[in-house]
Amino acid sequence: MATTIAARKPSSFRNGLQAGVSIAIGYIPIAITFGLLAKSAGLTVSETVLMSLLVFAGAAQYMSLNMIVLGSGVFEIVMTTFILNIRHFLMSASLNEKVEEKSLWKKSLFSFGITDETFSVSATKEGTIQTGYMFGVILIAYSSWVVSSGVGHVIGSSLPSSLQESMAVALYAMFVGLLMPSLKKHRKVVLLAGAAAILNSVFSLVIGIAAGWSIVLATITSAVGIEILYSKWSKEENADE
């Protein structure tokens, strides 16, 4: 019995590692680009790696570099980072419903590693998510991000300029790759992703809402709106039958 239990735990962790490989690979060019920009912003390699170790949020780190260059204060950077990443509350709450019941400290530990990408992979997993699976996904993604940030700072500047510029599209390519499997299976996901993208564009570009709040509002509005529409459509279909 003990042997059986011992064999199941690493299996869950290994599955998480395998699921996180695509994230780790996608992080490499983005993290190298971050390391390169951190060097140009005046950060040392230790400061660059430390930021990746403590923050582990690509968009927030890129934004912080820009604010450091502009001479923004610490409070401004922290507040802007908080607003930009406030959507993580929603992602954590959503995953909490899918993850198996475990101690609070374990949930607190892997909640640090929730990013848009690790959330996408974990949330689309069918059934209950094992704690080992979450740690596997996050560990390989986290390691890739931290190591590649340091590598980018050390050797990224030696890459050809054309290759450095092409890395900017890697983040979008990775999101498309993560979203496509769900888009093929569920029409609801297509509508939800489309509605969220349109609303986020309207909120941020037309109304001028900050990026973090725009994403939160677009996520909540599209989720509630699509759910209401689907409920209405389901009732009409049942009434016709």
Side-chain angles (χ1 to χ4, degrees):
M1 183 64 181
T3 304
T4 304
I5 294 174
R8 286 177 181 173
K9 289 182 179 178
S11 175
S12 171
F13 180 75
R14 187 166 54 247
N15 289 337
L17 288 176
Q18 292 173 345
V21 168
S22 59
I23 302 175
I25 294 173
Y27 274 175
I28 291 174
I30 306 168
I32 288 177
T33 304
F34 168 74
L36 175 64
L37 294 176
K39 184 177 182 181
S40 64
L43 271 64
T44 64
V45 64
S46 59
E47 290 171 338
T48 302
V49 173
L50 187 61
M51 181 185 284
S52 291
L53 279 170
L54 299 179
V55 181
F56 188 40
Q61 290 182 227
Y62 273 100
M63 179 205 63
S64 298
L65 286 181
N66 187 46
M67 296 184 74
I68 289 172
V69 172
L70 294 175
S72 302
V74 174
F75 182 75
E76 293 173 88
I77 295 175
V78 171
M79 283 303 298
T80 309
T81 300
F82 174 76
I83 293 173
L84 184 63
N85 289 332
I86 200 169
R87 65 190 186 283
H88 287 196
F89 285 117
L90 297 176
M91 291 191 280
S92 299
S94 176
L95 281 182
N96 188 53
E97 299 298 319
K98 290 196 66 176
V99 177
E100 63 178 345
E101 291 295 331
K102 285 291 181 180
S103 58
L104 181 60
W105 73 267
K106 287 185 178 178
K107 289 188 175 182
S108 301
L109 189 59
F110 70 65
S111 66
F112 168 77
I114 295 177
T115 64
D116 296 333
E117 297 77 26
T118 57
F119 170 78
S120 299
V121 168
S122 302
T124 53
K125 184 180 183 299
E126 295 183 357
T128 302
I129 303 173
Q130 303 296 318
T131 303
Y133 180 88
M134 286 296 301
F135 279 119
V137 171
I138 290 170
L139 178 62
I140 191 169
Y142 182 65
S143 302
S144 173
W145 179 260
V146 173
V147 172
S148 299
S149 296
V151 172
H153 191 285
V154 174
I155 65 172
S157 58
S158 64
L159 295 174
S161 57
S162 58
L163 183 57
Q164 294 176 19
E165 294 172 358
S166 66
M167 289 179 180
V169 302
L171 183 62
Y172 305 103
M174 182 172 59
F175 274 114
V176 171
L178 292 173
L179 190 60
M180 282 306 293
S182 296
L183 292 179
K184 291 179 179 178
K185 296 179 180 177
H186 306 289
R187 186 179 62 174
K188 189 176 181 180
V189 177
V190 178
L191 294 174
L192 185 59
I198 293 171
L199 288 173
N200 184 47
S201 300
V202 171
F203 290 150
S204 60
L205 300 178
V206 179
I207 302 177
I209 299 175
W213 287 110
S214 174
I215 293 173
V216 173
L217 288 175
T219 302
I220 295 174
T221 307
S222 59
V224 173
I226 295 298
E227 190 60 37
I228 292 175
L229 285 176
Y230 251 76
S231 298
K232 184 179 179 181
W233 292 339
S234 297
K235 289 180 180 178
E236 290 178 353
E237 289 178 359
N238 293 333
D240 293 338
E241 290 178 354

